[in-house]
Amino acid sequence: MVSERPLVWLARLLDGLRLPYAIIGAHAVNAWLEPRFTSDIDVTIELSAEASRDLTAAFEREGFAVVRIHGERLPSGPDFLRFTSRDRLVTIEFQPAKTSFQQHVVQRARRDRNGTCVATPEDLIVLKLIANRPKDQIDLLGLAALDGLDWPYVESAAREWELAEVLAALRARVGR
């Protein structure tokens, strides 16, 4: 069952299953910026149909219930899985890495001080540009202000996702 440190617990579980992953979303942003509250854990993961069954079985053994699976019967495996702990205090959402960008996010992830694989600030910028919700705008301002970002990588990904203008507007807002 989940300890008081769900990200550390999750990293051990996924490492034990030998599933490459990257924490994305607010928990990943919290690794790079001043932490803010978030209610769920978002993960991009390399996940075949067989590995999806193994993941589901492992989570069920740990007291989690599957509350949503989208695309469960696809030959490539599901597109989305959501698990919730029995006490409903922990929700973990998995997005299997099916696009080349998602695969790069997983490959480029870095281990934080707790051993959790976290998406890079550059990949988070692209993911937040894609989602582009009000809370993403706040995260984007903080991420874009970080020193040492690989802007050519971000620009390339933004062009690929047809977000070059949105990225340019962000950079103008933060003076980068």
Side-chain angles (χ1 to χ4, degrees):
M1 192 60 158
V2 179
S3 69
E4 71 270 2
R5 297 177 67 197
L7 290 174
V8 173
W9 170 86
L10 179 61
R12 280 194 208 116
L13 184 99
L14 295 177
D15 288 344
L17 292 170
R18 298 178 194 255
L19 294 173
Y21 70 95
I23 302 296
I24 59 173
H27 279 289
V29 172
N30 289 348
W32 303 106
L33 301 176
E34 182 70 28
R36 70 169 170 86
F37 174 77
T38 183
S39 60
D40 61 357
I41 300 170
D42 300 304
V43 183
T44 295
I45 187 167
E46 290 186 14
L47 197 65
S48 66
E50 181 181 339
S52 172
R53 289 187 290 277
D54 294 342
L55 179 71
T56 299
F59 268 81
E60 288 173 345
R61 283 192 303 274
E62 294 289 328
F64 279 74
V66 177
V67 291
R68 183 169 175 222
I69 297 180
H70 178 66
E72 183 175 17
R73 300 193 194 293
L74 293 172
S76 60
D79 291 329
F80 178 85
L81 299 97
R82 178 182 295 143
F83 297 93
T84 301
S85 61
R86 236 181 247 129
D87 59 11
R88 298 181 184 247
L89 294 177
V90 179
T91 298
I92 303 172
E93 297 182 346
F94 290 96
Q95 300 170 10
K98 291 189 173 185
T99 68
S100 62
F101 177 67
Q102 289 171 313
Q103 291 164 359
H104 281 111
V105 170
V106 171
Q107 293 164 2
R108 290 171 35 87
R110 298 181 193 160
R111 294 259 178 196
D112 68 8
R113 68 185 186 293
N114 296 311
T116 306
C117 293
V118 178
T120 66
E122 293 87 355
D123 289 326
L124 289 169
I125 289 171
V126 177
L127 289 167
K128 296 289 184 177
L129 288 171
I130 292 168
N132 205 22
R133 300 163 298 187
K135 61 185 172 183
D136 298 311
Q137 291 297 314
I138 294 166
D139 292 339
L140 279 164
L141 291 173
L143 290 165
L146 291 172
D147 290 328
L149 292 173
D150 182 353
W151 284 111
Y153 172 84
V154 175
E155 290 165 354
S156 174
R159 279 192 303 275
E160 184 177 325
W161 285 91
E162 299 179 3
L163 297 166
E165 289 179 22
V166 179
L167 176 60
L170 170 66
R171 290 186 75 180
R173 285 180 70 189
V174 295
R176 300 241 171 188

